[in-house]
Amino acid sequence: ERKGYPLNMQIAIAGNIGSGKTTLTTMLAERYGWQPKFESVDYNPYLEDYYRDIQRWSFAMEVFFLKERFKALLDIQKTSHNTIQDRSIYEGVFVFTANNYAMGNLNERDYSTYMELFEQMTREIEMPDLMIFLRSSVAHLVQNIEKRGRNYEQKIPIEYLENINRRYDDFTAKQYKGRVLTIDVDKLDFQHRPKDFGLITDKIDRELFGLF
């Protein structure tokens, strides 16, 4: 970690599926010497059941994700390193779970139990020092999803991506109480163009370290 930079900082990268979160998390971790934290892709015991019967298993599935994200945050708070996290507990709840509820996959009773659990958990954790939101049009997301060619992602309906995009805008503008740096990524290729990556790091430096 660089001299003179604050310690124990927690940065989160937010954004829709295909917005470039994981790539940017990796690149920023390398650039600043931050410790990257990725969403656990370990075995989820509910996944198969969930896809067989979404309404029956949505609550169990969402609670499992919440538990995993909470566990990751408790680990982050124990560390003395600066960390950068690919997706936060907050968007998991306000964007993805809220969308599942709106689609009728969670009933009123389950959703209110879930939200109460989330509110209890968030009393025990600190908000990220900065959330970097990668804002992207649906056309750009689709292009990225096709490019990386993950089978299970190819069937994601356009309407689903549009809904998630709307929820992200609402989440970053109204629901999330922490600091947000929004970066429009449609015209950027930060993975292959150093100048584009430089634009992002300049904004982060300004935001975190008051440089420039």
Side-chain angles (χ1 to χ4, degrees):
E1 273 155 15
R2 298 166 170 225
K3 284 180 183 162
Y5 279 13
L7 279 175
N8 288 21
M9 275 193 318
Q10 189 197 332
I11 316 297
I13 305 272
N16 204 338
I17 301 151
S19 60
K21 288 185 310 300
T22 307
T23 303
L24 190 62
T25 300
T26 308
M27 290 173 75
L28 291 175
E30 210 168 287
R31 160 85 160 76
Y32 291 103
W34 295 337
Q35 209 170 54
K37 295 275 178 193
F38 298 100
E39 276 246 278
S40 168
V41 285
D42 292 347
Y43 174 66
N44 182 323
Y46 296 103
L47 212 52
E48 273 179 52
D49 288 327
Y50 174 77
Y51 284 117
R52 224 181 359 247
D53 187 347
I54 288 177
Q55 283 187 325
R56 162 72 182 85
W57 293 100
S58 272
F59 180 64
M61 172 92 163
E62 294 290 7
V63 168
F64 181 84
F65 275 131
L66 188 66
K67 181 245 326 168
E68 289 294 300
R69 287 178 184 137
F70 183 58
K71 208 162 68 176
L73 276 179
L74 292 178
D75 285 347
I76 286 173
Q77 289 191 181
K78 280 188 213 129
T79 179
S80 57
H81 298 285
N82 289 334
T83 56
I84 180 160
Q85 196 185 10
D86 175 358
R87 185 164 289 154
S88 73
I89 195 169
Y90 300 95
E91 60 196 290
V93 171
F94 289 114
V95 176
F96 289 92
T97 308
N99 190 58
N100 225 355
Y101 170 59
M103 286 166 74
N105 296 330
L106 285 168
N107 65 35
E108 198 67 54
R109 183 178 57 174
D110 286 348
Y111 185 63
S112 100
T113 300
Y114 174 91
M115 288 309 289
E116 209 174 305
L117 180 60
F118 166 69
E119 275 147 28
Q120 295 290 337
M121 285 174 166
T122 43
R123 285 182 198 149
E124 305 302 317
I125 52 177
E126 287 162 26
M127 288 190 127
D129 295 277
L130 180 65
M131 180 179 280
I132 300 164
F133 169 45
L134 305 183
R135 198 156 187 256
S136 171
S137 67
V138 170
H140 185 70
L141 296 172
V142 168
Q143 211 179 4
N144 284 350
I145 289 168
E146 280 172 0
K147 224 186 289 178
R148 69 184 178 196
R150 290 178 192 157
N151 272 347
Y152 62 92
E153 286 181 345
Q154 304 305 316
K155 297 184 186 81
I156 297 174
I158 298 285
E159 194 188 355
Y160 178 80
L161 294 173
E162 282 167 356
N163 281 343
I164 295 292
N165 256 7
R166 269 196 297 275
R167 285 185 185 279
Y168 261 115
D169 284 339
D170 194 55
F171 163 67
T172 50
K174 297 177 196 157
Q175 294 167 303
Y176 182 66
K177 304 287 180 264
R179 271 167 91 187
V180 180
L181 168 63
T182 299
I183 294 170
D184 285 297
V185 292
D186 272 16
K187 295 193 172 82
L188 300 181
D189 183 0
F190 53 81
Q191 188 177 5
H192 302 109
R193 291 205 297 255
K195 199 176 122 202
D196 289 355
F197 184 55
L199 285 173
I200 294 175
T201 55
D202 283 354
K203 285 181 181 184
I204 293 169
D205 288 343
R206 238 189 318 255
E207 201 67 41
L208 285 179
F209 316 120
L211 302 176
F212 313 106

